[in-house]
Amino acid sequence: MNVTVIGSPKCNLHDMGADHPEQPSRLYQINDQIIASGLEYVVHFADATSASKQDLLLAHDIDFIEKVFSSSPVENDERVWIDDDTIMMNKSLDAALSAAGAAIMAVDTVMGKQSKSAFCATRPPGHHASKGASAGFCIFNNIAIAAKYALEHYHLARVAIIDFDVHHGDGTQNIIEDDERIMFCSSFQHPFYPFSGDEPTRKGILNIPVPAGTKGSEWRELVSPWFQQIDEFAPELILISAGFDAHAEEDMGYLRLVENDYVWITQELKALANKHCEGKVVSILEGGYALSALARSVVAHLKTLAME
Ligand SMILES: [Zn+2]
C-alpha cells in the first residue's frame, strides 16, 4: 500500500463555533471527496491513537502542556480562549491529542514500511504552536512532534519539514530552530499573519516570503531553490506541513495556487524522498478553509502520493 490516511472521529468533535473557519466540516468535506474520487479503494485508513504527555514533551515545555490540560473545560457548553484565535471546549483536548498521536502513528507507519507515505487528516492544525504557547487555531505542534519523534525513536540524523501553508510555520521554526538535524522550508504570504519569517536565521531554515497575488507559476519559481538544498541535506524522512490555504479560492489568504501546484510540489518532494529515503513521506494537514478547494487539493495531493 502506498498511502495510509490517518484520522480520528475525535478530531471532528473539536468545535470552536459555527463562525470559526477551523471547523469540523473541513474533515467531512475531505472525506466526501476521498469517497467521490474513488481514492477510498486506493488508500488505507487507520484510526489515530492519542499522544501521551511524554510525546508532547518532544516539542513543548511542561508548563505549557499542563496549562492546556488544566484549561480543558469539563462542561459541554463551556468555552475557553487559550489565545486570541484558539478556543477549547470539552472535546478539544481529545482532538488535539489525537492529531498529535496521528502524527506519531504516521511516522511509525512509514518507518515500519506499512506504507510509503502517510497523510494525517486531522485537526486542530499545529504549525503555529510554539514550545510554550498555542496560537492561530493550533494547540500542539503535530509536525514538530513527528519530526522529533522520528529523530529520537528511530535514531535518524536528518529530517526535512516542508511547509506550503499560506502562513509562515512560526511555531515549527521556534521548536526546531536549535536542532540542526531538522531542515525547515516554509513558503508563505508576506507581510501577513503571523508576520514572521523574514528575519535572518540559521543554515537549514529556508523561508520564502511570497507577495499577495502570486500565481502558481511564480510561486513554483520562488520555491524551486529548496530542492537542491534538500537534495544536499539528504533527509532520511520528509515531512510536509500540508496547508491548502494558499489556494486561489481561499478567503483566508491571497495567493493564487490551484490543485496542479499541489500536485507539482508533491511530485518534487516524492522524487527527493525516493532518492534519499525509500519514498518515506509523512504529510500532515495544516490550514485550508475554502471547503471545496481544500477537499479537492487534498485529493490531488493524495493521488500524487499514491502513484507509483
Ligand atoms: Zn494557514
Side-chain angles (χ1 to χ4, degrees), residues 50-68:
S50 295
S52 64
K53 280 190 184 173
Q54 206 61 35
D55 297 328
L56 303 175
L57 275 169
L58 289 163
H60 296 290
D61 300 334
I62 185 68
D63 292 353
F64 166 64
I65 297 168
E66 295 298 351
K67 186 195 136 192
V68 172

Side-chain angles (χ1 to χ4, degrees), residues 16-303:
M16 297 189 281
D19 296 336
H20 200 291
E22 206 289 278
Q23 53 182 268
S25 51
R26 298 176 64 229
L27 295 181
Y28 294 128
Q29 287 276 337
I30 289 171
N31 198 44
D32 273 2
Q33 270 298 326
I34 288 176
I35 294 167
S37 66
L39 257 185
E40 134 185 64
Y41 302 106
V42 177
V43 300
H44 174 73
F45 292 94
D47 273 336
T49 48
S50 295
S52 64
K53 280 190 184 173
Q54 206 61 35
D55 297 328
L56 303 175
L57 275 169
L58 289 163
H60 296 290
D61 300 334
I62 185 68
D63 292 353
F64 166 64
I65 297 168
E66 295 298 351
K67 186 195 136 192
V68 172
F69 273 74
S70 63
S71 302
S72 179
V74 179
E75 301 298 329
N76 207 9
D77 55 356
E78 202 184 335
R79 299 283 181 274
V80 175
W81 291 81
I82 53 170
D83 59 65
D84 290 346
D85 304 309
T86 318
I87 303 165
M88 285 184 81
M89 35 77 79
N90 67 338
K91 308 287 186 193
S92 302
L93 180 59
D94 274 349
L97 293 175
S98 296
I104 286 175
M105 189 187 261
V107 172
D108 285 336
T109 300
V110 303
M111 292 306 297
K113 299 188 176 169
Q114 285 130 276
S115 67
K116 271 196 176 176
S117 53
F119 177 73
C120 298
T122 47
R123 52 184 290 278
H127 73 154
H128 296 306
S130 61
K131 275 181 201 161
S134 65
F137 316 163
C138 304
I139 299 178
F140 299 123
N141 194 312
N142 310 313
I143 197 111
I145 291 167
K148 293 279 190 180
Y149 176 76
L151 292 167
E152 302 304 327
H153 193 80
Y154 292 97
H155 310 291
L156 301 186
R158 293 173 312 282
V159 302
I161 300 174
I162 294 84
D163 184 331
F164 53 68
D165 190 277
V166 80
H167 304 100
H168 179 231
D170 57 337
T172 308
Q173 181 171 320
N174 166 268
I175 293 166
I176 63 88
E177 208 147 34
D178 55 3
D179 191 340
E180 301 218 345
R181 298 172 298 175
I182 304 176
M183 169 174 268
F184 180 57
C185 306
S186 181
S187 73
F188 47 91
Q189 184 181 323
H190 190 79
F192 198 47
Y193 179 88
F195 303 100
S196 54
D198 58 344
E199 61 286 327
T201 180
R202 72 158 163 90
K203 184 174 180 284
I205 295 180
L206 287 80
N207 285 322
I208 311 274
V210 180
T214 297
K215 288 200 280 276
S217 54
E218 298 160 334
W219 173 78
R220 293 185 193 198
E221 268 187 47
L222 289 170
V223 303
S224 281
W226 281 346
F227 306 130
Q228 196 190 335
Q229 302 253 8
I230 297 169
D231 193 22
E232 283 168 16
F233 184 68
E236 294 164 289
L237 173 67
I238 289 183
L239 301 118
I240 304 176
S241 260
F244 297 96
D245 43 9
H247 197 284
E249 289 173 31
E250 180 70 58
D251 291 332
M252 291 281 283
Y254 303 97
L255 300 190
R256 312 285 305 157
L257 304 198
V258 295
E259 288 91 310
N260 264 340
D261 298 308
Y262 296 119
V263 168
W264 172 80
I265 186 87
T266 308
Q267 280 169 342
E268 295 287 340
L269 296 175
K270 218 176 90 162
L272 286 160
N274 283 336
K275 182 172 175 190
H276 293 289
C277 47
E278 299 170 283
K280 295 188 191 82
V281 174
V282 164
S283 178
I284 300 176
L285 182 64
E286 299 285 0
Y289 307 97
L291 297 177
S292 172
L294 165 67
R296 288 175 353 243
S297 300
V298 167
V299 163
H301 178 57
L302 289 177
K303 275 186 178 165

